[in-house]
Every structure is written in structure tokens, then in C-alpha cells.
Amino acid sequence: MTEPLMALERVCKWYPVGSERLTVLQDVSFAVYPGEFVSIMGPSGSGKSTLMHILGCLDQPSSGRYVLRGRPVDGLTGDELARVRNREIGFVFQNFHLLPRMTALRNVELPLVYAGVAREERRRRALARLEEVGLRDRISHLPNELSGGQKQRVAIARALVNKPAILLADEPTGALDTRTGREIMGIFTELHQRGVTIVVITHDPGVASFAQRILHMLDGRLVGEERGRGA
Ligand SMILES: Nc1ncnc2c1ncn2[C@@H]1O[C@H](COP(=O)(O)OP(=O)(O)OP(=O)(O)O)[C@@H](O)[C@H]1O
Ligand SMILES: [Mg+2]
């Protein structure tokens, strides 16, 4: 049987609030297999972003384990975690998180700068990713010269420029109109068909339905699962 790419084992996350514990994830267990397209749905405050931060090695569980490619993440040093984030995982956020003073091309090149890739190679790879998301004619634009959908395409190109195995997206269509949001989900579907493992967080059932599997969260717990039309 195939090994899971990401596995959460009875993960809890809590925060100290005064002398109490505020529990925001409660006994969450699930696995994502290589090449899957999964969405996670739930109302505001149900713990979706907290879960994504753990999947993306931006945060650690309070108890339980997160196993990435067979390796428990709690055994990794800060440097190792940073390397995992840079090489294995691409992030896409609701508000794009582009650097405002850099062109689309520079934004996409940036992860390759951190990875120590030489200039020519950086440019070549960033251009290829921008071409894939249909933005070859916008590479010299600054973020504020792009539409919301175009900004998200730049963010997707940047997330993919290191060829990560995993793409994590937190409300990637949250700042977009319905039609533009569907276009972005169409890009995710193409990426999935090319073998990228994708986890999308959303509260929009129409967005979630693009995935193969839809996990439902409520009050920090996984409460159900259904098949999406990507199945
Ligand atoms: N650093 C923190 N300290 C205390 N509580 C926190 C902290 N971070 C998040 N929380 C709480 O954890 C709960 C879950 O937050 P989270 O951001 O994961 O929700 P969400 O499902 O992503 O919501 P939304 O759909 O609004 O983005 C919330 O009640 C929030 O107040
Ligand atoms: Mg959130």
C-alpha cells in the first residue's frame, strides 16, 4: 500500500488563555496520499487555518503527531523545518501575500533566491510557471497593477516554482468573485492532473466540490467526509 504523504495522528492544538486552555483542534486524525486533491470545509473559527499551519510546518501540534513523508515533524530542527517548507510545500493565501514593490516575475523568483538557484535558471523557471498560469504578458506588472485573479495566479506560480509535492491553499478564492474563484479552482484541477498533491481550505461548498475528498470540520474536530466531483 502507498504511504501517506501527510498524516495527522490524534492531533490537538490548544492555547493558554489566562489559567485555562482554549482547545482549537481536538483529536484530529487523517491522511493525505500522494496525488490527492482534498478540501477542508468548516465555519469560521472551526480550526481550518490552524490545521493548515500544522500541515505546512508553520506550527506544531500541542499533542499528537504530524508525520510528513514518513518522518514525524516534531523530530525536526528549525532549520530542517524551514527546508521542508521551502522544498516540499507551496502556500497560497486568501490575500495573495505578494511583495508590493516587486514585479510579478520577481515575486515568483523569490523562493528560488532563498533556495540558492542561479540567476538565469531562476528567470527561466519563474517565466515557465507564469506562462502556465496564463500571465506571460503581465510579468513586469507590480501587484497593484494586477486584478485579484491575476494576483492569485502569480501567487500560485510562486508557490509552484520550487516544484513542491504539496500545495496548501487557505481560502484561495476568498477575495475573488465567483467566476474568478472558479478559474483559480480550474488551475488547481490542472495542477492535480499533473500530479501535485493539493489541500484547499474553504467555507464555500462550490469551491470544495472541485476536490476528490471533502473533509468537514466543526469546533476543532473532523466531523465527516464526502466525495467531491474531482473524485
Ligand atoms: N494564537 C492564538 N491564541 C489563541 N487562540 C487562537 C490563536 N490562533 C487561533 N486561535 C483560535 O483558534 C480558533 C480557530 O482559529 P482558525 O484561524 O484556525 O479558524 P478558521 O477555521 O481558519 O476560521 P476562518 O474561517 O475565520 O478563517 C479560533 O477560535 C481562534 O480564535
Ligand atoms: Mg482561517
Side-chain angles (χ1 to χ4, degrees):
M1 225 185 90
T2 332
E3 285 278 296
L5 184 52
M6 298 176 267
L8 294 186
E9 299 172 0
R10 308 202 61 172
V11 163
C12 296
K13 181 74 185 180
W14 59 74
Y15 296 102
V17 176
S19 57
E20 307 276 293
R21 265 184 190 176
L22 174 69
T23 298
V24 301
L25 291 178
Q26 180 75 45
D27 248 343
V28 174
S29 300
F30 71 91
V32 176
Y33 289 84
E36 273 199 299
F37 184 179
V38 175
S39 60
I40 299 175
M41 277 195 75
S44 185
S46 57
K48 304 181 300 293
S49 294
T50 307
L51 185 64
M52 165 157 150
H53 284 130
I54 291 174
L55 290 174
C57 299
L58 296 164
D59 200 357
Q60 298 259 13
S62 305
S63 71
R65 281 207 315 176
Y66 174 34
V67 182
L68 176 62
R69 283 193 195 283
R71 280 181 92 186
V73 163
D74 57 6
L76 302 182
T77 65
D79 278 357
E80 286 171 329
L81 282 174
R83 203 171 315 126
V84 167
R85 280 197 301 271
N86 195 263
R87 299 214 177 136
E88 305 264 23
I89 302 168
F91 293 96
V92 173
F93 300 96
Q94 175 169 357
N95 292 314
F96 324 121
H97 290 200
L98 299 177
L99 293 176
R101 291 173 199 281
M102 289 191 180
T103 63
L105 182 61
R106 287 291 293 160
N107 267 283
V108 176
E109 279 185 46
L110 204 54
L112 299 176
V113 175
Y114 296 137
V117 176
R119 201 162 180 279
E120 289 307 306
E121 175 69 7
R122 268 189 342 237
R123 178 132 311 193
R124 195 184 63 70
R125 279 161 63 177
L127 283 171
R129 296 291 88 77
L130 281 161
E131 178 121 43
E132 276 165 14
V133 297
L135 279 186
R136 189 66 182 78
D137 58 345
R138 290 290 185 278
I139 61 169
S140 301
H141 286 233
L142 295 170
N144 70 6
E145 298 165 344
L146 297 168
S147 70
Q150 289 169 341
K151 279 188 258 209
Q152 199 59 299
R153 286 166 193 262
V154 174
I156 293 168
R158 179 184 57 185
L160 292 172
V161 77
N162 267 334
K163 298 195 185 304
I166 304 166
L167 184 65
L168 298 178
D170 193 348
E171 297 281 3
T173 65
L176 307 174
D177 63 59
T178 304
R179 189 177 60 84
T180 309
R182 296 299 185 265
E183 283 169 17
I184 294 298
M185 293 314 294
I187 293 179
F188 282 12
T189 300
E190 282 168 28
L191 295 170
H192 170 235
Q193 285 160 358
R194 297 217 312 263
V196 182
T197 305
I198 303 178
V199 178
V200 174
I201 286 170
T202 181
H203 61 264
D204 179 339
V207 169
S209 70
F210 279 81
Q212 296 170 299
R213 266 201 299 150
I214 306 168
L215 305 178
H216 290 271
M217 288 191 73
L218 190 64
D219 294 338
R221 295 173 187 273
L222 275 184
V223 293
E225 175 170 342
E226 62 185 309
R227 285 163 75 87
R229 65 183 158 93

